[in-house]
Each structure stands twice: as structure tokens, then as C-alpha cells.
Amino acid sequence: MNCNYSAAIIGTGSYVPDKIMTNHDLEKMVDTSDEWIKTRTGISERRIADESTATSDLSTKAALLALEDAGISAEEIDLVVVATVTPDMAFPSTACIVQKNIGALNAAAYDLSAGCSGFIYGLASAYGFISNGMYRNVLVIGAETLSKIINWEDRNTCVLFGDGAGATVVSRCDKGEGILSVKIGSNGNHDRLITQPAGGSRIPVDVESINKKLNKIHMEGGEVFKLAVRTMASVSEAALEEADITVDDLKLVIPHQANSRIIQGIFNRLKVSAEKSYINLDKYGNTSAASIPLALDEAAKKGVLKKDDKILLVAFGSGLTWGASTIKWVK
Ligand SMILES: CC(C)(COP(=O)(O)OP(=O)(O)OC[C@H]1O[C@@H](n2cnc3c(N)ncnc32)[C@H](O)[C@@H]1OP(=O)(O)O)[C@@H](O)C(=O)NCCC(=O)NCCS
């Protein structure tokens, strides 16, 4: 990329609600089994926010931890981006609520809707603003309370998702460090594959749409599965090529944590050893925009990531959207 500066993740933080819902809990709610869920998805349990907890609450906790990890104050943040499909409300943005909560009073703030690719989209925004010199420090958060929009009678979807938040502080750094490449893309021709049909201007939330459960997640899982493998593999290749590195240079790949079989499919296509993957979806399920920053924070805090390691982040989600980024770790 031809820019004046580069941008690096200098701090991470994450937060998940305390309440654990296991596959055995789900067996009591829908016609499913622990064995089916584990073998088809790799998920054992997920976290569920309580009634009074919204996406901004999870985001705020993750953001404060990321700021502490980065060693900078909230006043130094120039922009707060919250990637989410489960904002607190239609408006104001969840990002403005987080801005208030953490005291980032010198920042601009907005939400970003790109489904499970939201965090990579946020990273691309941060990279753009920082590399052109407009901003120095950007807080990129991926956060969801998907449990609030799950149809708990639909076994096709209710076993897959969970709640959580991950935050990163992205800051100006020397060229050749930090984010080496970031690629994002979308194809609205597949807009119906993962959707919450009601709640916007097309289908308002009213008695009829609630009775039809149109205010809940609808998904064509099989089709999503095939497109996810193909697209995440090709966007990963594009990000690697842009950074002029190969899979052999990578220490770690953190894929969107949707399904272990999707991840295996990507790794097979990219010819990367499974040992290079960081996976925590067994504990959290698919947390959409939160999944990558949640895994990234866990990997960083466990010491799996070391300074100068090269990593690949790759995601896919509703839209359809996709994105990948290669990063040279600077911490
Ligand atoms: C949803 C998903 C796990 C289903 O796995 P699959 O191997 O494709 O399963 P199929 O769709 O072929 O369904 C097989 C059967 O299992 C049933 N089934 C679905 N969910 C089930 C559950 N929780 N428990 C038991 N059976 C279930 C289906 O009804 C179907 O039954 P049928 O053959 O009698 O109709 C898989 O398609 C998937 O992960 N898709 C991607 C979803 C995703 O990650 N979305 C977010 C992307 S960001």
C-alpha cells in the first residue's frame, strides 16, 4: 500500500458475559444433541448476556481493557468504531454510548454493519484514517449480543451463536510494521442468506413481524458454508499477496470463529497446517463481529503471539461481506 504511515494494534481487550449455555442446556430447548453440535460445528458452549446487558456494556468493558493494555488514555482516542449487528438501538450509535462510557471525548464515533466481517472492516477503516495522517489512535471494537435476536425455537441457528466483545487500539506506527495488508469485499447478491428481516424500514417490528419471528436471525446454513470456505480462502490469498508474504511466513491464523469445519476447509485450501490456527469457538460459539478480536486478545494474553510474529486474520459474514488482514505484531 502506498501511504505515509502504517498502523499497528498496540492493545487488546475482551469481555464475555458470565452466563454459560452448554450444548446440554440446548438439548432441553430444541431437538438437538451435544454430539450433533460438536461434530457439525465444534461448539461446546457459548456465553449469554443477561436481560439488562446490551452491546455497549460488553464493548465498554473490552475497550477499557484494551486502553489499559495499550497504555494510552481515552482522551487520546481520535475515533471509536463499533462493528456490530446488535447495536443497543437503531440510534444513537453504540459507538457514541461507548465513547461516553469510557470518556473518549476527543473522538468521533460510529457503528459499522458488516456482519461477522465487521472487525476486519473496522480495522480497514482504522488503517485508512491512520495511514493518510488524519488520525493517530483508533479504537476498533467488535461486539455482539446475538442472544437477543436468536430464535430459540430454531435448531438450525440457535446452537451456533454467542455473546461477547473484543477491542483493539490501533495506532500510527512505522511503515513495514503493524498492518501489512487489509482487504475487504462484499456481494449484496447474497443478501438473503444471513439476515434479520424485521426491525428496519423494510419490515418494521410490529405484531405481525414478531409473530413470524422476522425480528430474529434467519440463515441458509448450507449455502453460507460453501461460500464461506471459498471466499475466506481467496481473500486470505489476496491479503498475503499484497503483503508479499506466504503462509510459511505466518505464525498464526485467526479465522472468524463460525464453524470448525469451515475453518478446516479454509486451511485445506490455503495449505496451512491446523497447528497455526487459533480456535476458541468451542467456548464461545460464533460471536460474529466479536469473534476475531476476542480470539486475538486471548492469543495475545496467553503469550501465543510474540513481537514480529506475522499473523493472518480472516472473516466472512452477512451481506455477504468478507475481509482479511496480515499483521506484523508489534507488542
Ligand atoms: C448450520 C450448519 C452447522 C449445518 O450443518 P450441515 O452439515 O450443513 O447440516 P445440514 O444443513 O445438512 O442439516 C443436516 C440435518 O441436520 C438438521 N439439523 C440442523 N440443525 C440441527 C441441530 N442443531 N441439531 C440436530 N439436527 C440439526 C437439519 O434439520 C438437517 O436435517 P434433515 O436432513 O432432516 O433436513 C452448517 O451449515 C453451517 O455451519 N453453516 C454455516 C453457518 C455459519 O457459520 N453462519 C455464520 C457465518 S458468518
Side-chain angles (χ1 to χ4, degrees), residues 130-184:
I130 292 169
S131 61
N132 77 11
M134 185 164 166
Y135 291 140
R136 195 176 270 271
N137 299 309
V138 180
L139 186 58
V140 181
I141 301 169
E144 305 284 5
T145 45
L146 292 163
S147 62
K148 313 261 180 177
I149 61 164
I150 286 171
N151 175 358
W152 292 106
E153 292 167 4
D154 177 12
R155 69 177 183 171
N156 292 293
T157 52
C158 75
V159 303
L160 302 176
F161 300 102
D163 300 338
T168 54
V169 176
V170 185
S171 297
R172 186 186 287 181
C173 72
D174 294 335
K175 286 185 84 170
E177 300 290 315
I179 295 171
L180 304 176
S181 64
V182 56
K183 291 277 189 192
I184 53 174

Side-chain angles (χ1 to χ4, degrees), residues 30 39 51 55 59 71 107 134 136 168 184 223 246 262 292 298 316 322:
V30 287
T39 53
E51 231 171 64
T55 296
S59 303
M134 185 164 166
R136 195 176 270 271
T168 54
I184 53 174
E223 203 49 35
T246 71
I262 292 179
I292 289 179
E298 222 179 69
F316 176 89
W322 53 85

